[in-house]
Amino acid sequence: MVTTPSPSEVPPIVYVACAPGQAGDPELTVDLRQTRDGQLALLAYTALDRLVDCCGPEQPWAVMPTADLEQIRLATGFELILLDLEIPPEHRRRAEVS
């Protein structure tokens, strides 16, 4: 069952899963995932320990104000936010091997 949190349940900051950057590039890009039904989703977490527990210790992340998520949506076109979603181990980010 998927529920939509009310605004009072979402903290003022969230931890957003990011995609690994290119070698030597300090910029992070938000990690967008496609859902089974084809929607583009942003992964956001209400606490850092939840992100690590749900995505693994190698998941890059950035912290940002919840209010900034609309700017990210406009820039990336994501269709929904998946909040505190556990990623199966086989789909988690792994450290880059040089």
Side-chain angles (χ1 to χ4, degrees):
M1 181 169 110
V2 176
T3 60
T4 303
S6 71
S8 65
E9 295 173 323
V10 180
I13 63 164
V14 290
Y15 297 84
V16 176
C18 292
Q22 300 296 325
D25 184 4
E27 295 289 320
L28 290 174
T29 304
V30 294
D31 191 1
L32 300 176
R33 303 281 183 119
Q34 194 164 25
T35 64
R36 288 185 184 139
D37 64 357
Q39 291 185 297
L40 197 56
L42 175 79
L43 304 176
Y45 295 84
T46 55
L48 182 55
D49 62 330
R50 288 191 183 126
L51 181 139
V52 173
D53 289 346
C54 292
C55 297
E58 297 173 27
Q59 175 67 56
W61 57 271
V63 65
M64 67 178 57
T66 303
D68 289 354
L69 293 178
E70 178 61 10
Q71 292 174 334
I72 301 297
R73 186 191 66 78
L74 292 172
T76 64
F78 74 77
E79 299 167 272
L80 68 139
I81 297 172
L82 298 177
L83 196 60
D84 293 335
L85 178 74
E86 183 172 356
I87 303 299
E90 65 272 15
H91 294 292
R92 292 180 179 184
R93 296 286 181 195
R94 302 284 179 234
E96 297 292 318
V97 177
S98 308

